[in-house]
Amino acid sequence: MATSDAVIVPARRRLAGRWASPLAAQLAVVAVLLVIWQITASVGQLGAVPTPVEVARALLAIFASGAVWEPLGTTLAGWAISLVLAVVVGIVVGFPLGTSRLAYRLSVFTLDFLRTIPALVLVPLVVLLYGSGLESTILLAFLGAVWAVIMQTIYGARDVDPTALQTFMSFRVRRWDTVKFLLVPTALPYIATGVRLAAAICVLVTISAQVVIPAGGLGEQILTAQLGGAVPSMYAYIFLCGALGVGANAAFGKLEGRALAWHPSHRKVSA
């Protein structure tokens, strides 16, 4: 009897684990929400909100007509350029502030003040300086995302193990080798988290700026569809923006896991 239980219990656990996988649970929740949305929209309980079927048809129509590719390219271009600028500036600024206690104390108030300012608040100033073009969306997305990289880089640079640092100093390791073999490996997980956060922020701010200014891209298409009364198309573009954000976050999460597979925080431990 004990042998039978020892065989059955692990099998039940494996079966339960399959059904309880995070991806399956997430897909189940999405399916339930879509069913509820379809039912409530069909009976008119959501007002002018279209059904998921209508949104899916509109999404297929904008892809079939090719109307989506130019605004999608504009949005991706603004997102990519702003993300690269945020990462470069964030690392260049964050490392000196993280390695110097005096510099961090002198700048911490300024950093806390500036990073709490929403990027979209600066829309009137940015439009006044650069107009309603791609430059404005790039600058707004950069200003919204750079603080995540700066702060994560500072945290990573300040998280160096004092014992390891003293060991490097006692052996009179050159400063560049200390940065290369101690500071950078310690800060990399923090920087990777900052880059992943910045990627999501750049998507959000880029699309939001394109709606507010408007400055082309998917954001302007949302506004145009809303003003033209094409509600299903508006929701189709909104769905596409959401998929773009989820895809960017998932891609950078996978990239972070592969690039930092050597780090204890990402290392897989077999049971």
Side-chain angles (χ1 to χ4, degrees):
M1 186 67 179
T3 304
S4 178
D5 292 340
V7 174
I8 293 175
V9 171
R12 289 178 177 175
R13 289 178 178 176
R14 288 195 298 270
L15 183 60
R18 291 178 182 176
W19 284 101
S21 63
L23 181 58
Q26 293 170 5
L27 292 177
V29 172
V30 171
V32 171
L33 292 177
L34 288 176
V35 171
I36 296 175
W37 179 10
Q38 178 69 32
I39 295 174
T40 53
S42 298
V43 298
Q45 295 296 322
L46 298 180
V49 177
T51 64
V53 175
E54 294 173 341
V55 174
R57 290 174 180 171
L59 185 62
L60 292 176
I62 62 176
F63 272 100
S65 63
V68 71
W69 300 117
E70 183 177 354
L72 179 61
T74 302
T75 299
L76 290 177
W79 166 75
I81 296 173
S82 61
L83 178 60
V84 171
L85 291 175
V87 171
V88 173
V89 174
I91 294 176
V92 171
V93 174
F95 263 118
L97 296 180
T99 53
S100 174
R101 183 173 299 180
L102 176 61
Y104 176 75
R105 289 182 177 179
L106 291 176
S107 60
V108 62
F109 174 77
T110 304
L111 290 175
D112 289 338
F113 174 77
L114 292 177
R115 69 193 182 99
T116 56
I117 300 176
L120 294 181
V121 173
L122 303 174
V123 167
L125 177 61
V126 172
V127 172
L128 181 64
L129 294 175
Y130 298 99
S132 58
L134 182 62
E135 297 83 359
S136 298
T137 60
I138 292 174
L139 181 58
L140 289 170
F142 163 77
L143 293 175
V146 68
W147 309 111
V149 184
I150 290 177
M151 299 308 299
Q152 287 297 119
T153 304
I154 291 175
Y155 297 150
R158 291 173 59 88
D159 195 42
V160 175
D161 187 1
T163 303
L165 182 59
Q166 292 175 5
T167 303
F168 272 66
M169 295 175 62
S170 64
F171 281 97
R172 296 182 179 180
V173 179
R174 293 181 300 177
R175 181 178 296 273
W176 171 247
D177 290 335
T178 302
V179 172
K180 182 179 179 181
F181 296 108
L182 180 61
L183 181 60
V184 172
T186 302
L188 270 180
Y190 292 89
I191 296 175
T193 301
V195 172
R196 181 159 50 85
L197 293 173
I201 294 172
C202 283
V203 173
L204 295 174
V205 178
T206 298
I207 296 173
S208 300
Q210 291 172 350
V211 174
V212 175
I213 293 177
L218 297 177
E220 185 176 1
Q221 293 300 314
I222 294 174
L223 181 62
T224 302
Q226 187 265 335
L227 295 177
V231 179
S233 297
M234 180 188 71
Y235 277 90
Y237 280 112
I238 293 174
F239 176 83
L240 183 58
C241 293
L244 184 63
V246 171
N249 183 71
F252 276 90
K254 290 288 185 181
L255 183 62
E256 177 183 352
R258 292 185 178 182
L260 298 176
W262 53 271
H263 196 269
S265 61
H266 292 271
R267 191 179 302 152
K268 293 182 179 180
V269 181
S270 58

